Amino acid sequence: MPQGDLILMGPPGSGKGTQARRMVDDLGYVQLATGDLFRAHLSQGTELGKLAQTYMSKGQYVPDDVTVKMVRERLADIPRKTRIVFDGFPRTVAQAEALGRLLKECGRSLAAVLLLDVPRDELLKRLGARATCSRCQTVYSLAVRPPKVPGVCDRCGGPVSATARSDESPEVVKKRLEVYEAETRPVIEYYETRGLLQRVSGVGTMDEIGARLTTLLDRRKSERAAR
Ligand code: AMP
């Protein structure tokens, strides 16, 4: 695997959370998922959680300053030698610029930015029927990838419930996809011009997509070594 941290990008429903967790389980990364951090704050009833929820429930992004501050605090807890996979961050160009500064401050660097490509029709299908493990936050698509035993998490055995997240109603899903196009598309370009972006098809089984990502990372590592 390449030295340095990774960013996993993709629209809502592209499976980036699932693949990030696979990288944690199989490749020893630590996942830094801003959506999970906001939800953890919310379940602990913190002020930050309550503030974030006012945006999340409408499908909007939490303001950059709030998000970056939370990421900075989380980063301070992660040892420098541990590789991080960023999931759902950065989502705006301002966040991408802030991340560049934060990584520099911590003596870290980015190895690659992986973008999961999934057609819009498929995204809508996946987002319509999701279920989440309340213990480890693994997300299942009931239409495309249900748990092997209904209601039981494949990963940790925790309870998987189909009660939709408050940000998964059809109107909110539509809004989240619109916000992604407007705010996050430019981040793709930002990393493309810096030669860091790699596109990967996000269609297929979890293992197929995972294998594509691993192959790509191995290839990147050999290219870097050859330079
Ligand atoms: P996710 O679990 O990554 O799909 O994120 C759920 C929601 O949390 C998003 O729709 C946003 O409202 C909020 N959120 C997560 N990450 C960010 C971020 N990097 N910037 C702003 N808002 C975010």
Side-chain angles (χ1 to χ4, degrees), residues 12 16 34-36 38-39 52 55-57 59-64 67 87-92 95 130 165 167 176:
K16 53 186 188 319
T34 40
D36 287 351
F38 287 133
R39 281 185 289 276
Y55 296 94
M56 292 166 82
S57 62
Q60 295 167 355
Y61 285 172
V62 178
D64 288 336
T67 307
D87 160 12
F89 180 88
R91 267 172 151 104
T92 65
Q95 290 180 12
R130 296 222 282 189
R165 273 168 30 180
D167 56 356
R176 286 171 68 203

Side-chain angles (χ1 to χ4, degrees), residues 5-128:
D5 300 323
L6 293 177
I7 297 174
L8 208 47
M9 289 188 70
S14 59
K16 53 186 188 319
T18 304
Q19 291 303 329
R21 276 186 280 274
R22 196 186 145 272
M23 287 177 168
V24 171
D25 290 347
D26 297 356
L27 307 175
Y29 282 84
V30 159
Q31 181 187 13
L32 198 160
T34 40
D36 287 351
L37 292 176
F38 287 133
R39 281 185 289 276
H41 271 280
L42 183 65
S43 64
Q44 288 156 17
T46 68
E47 287 309 311
L48 170 60
K50 287 178 209 158
L51 174 73
Q53 176 63 4
T54 61
Y55 296 94
M56 292 166 82
S57 62
K58 293 185 225 140
Q60 295 167 355
Y61 285 172
V62 178
D64 288 336
D65 56 341
V66 177
T67 307
V68 168
K69 183 164 175 277
M70 180 178 72
V71 170
R72 167 179 274 129
E73 283 165 9
R74 175 71 188 104
L75 266 178
D77 292 337
I78 302 175
R80 197 162 123 190
K81 287 220 169 97
T82 307
R83 288 168 311 173
I84 300 174
V85 54
F86 292 93
D87 160 12
F89 180 88
R91 267 172 151 104
T92 65
V93 171
Q95 290 180 12
E97 288 167 351
L99 179 62
R101 290 192 293 273
L102 287 178
L103 291 178
K104 214 167 177 187
E105 274 168 35
C106 310
R108 312 185 70 99
S109 66
L110 274 183
V113 179
L114 308 172
L115 172 68
L116 288 173
D117 261 332
V118 179
R120 191 183 159 89
D121 285 357
E122 173 78 15
L123 293 176
L124 290 169
K125 198 166 82 185
R126 291 184 189 182
L127 285 165

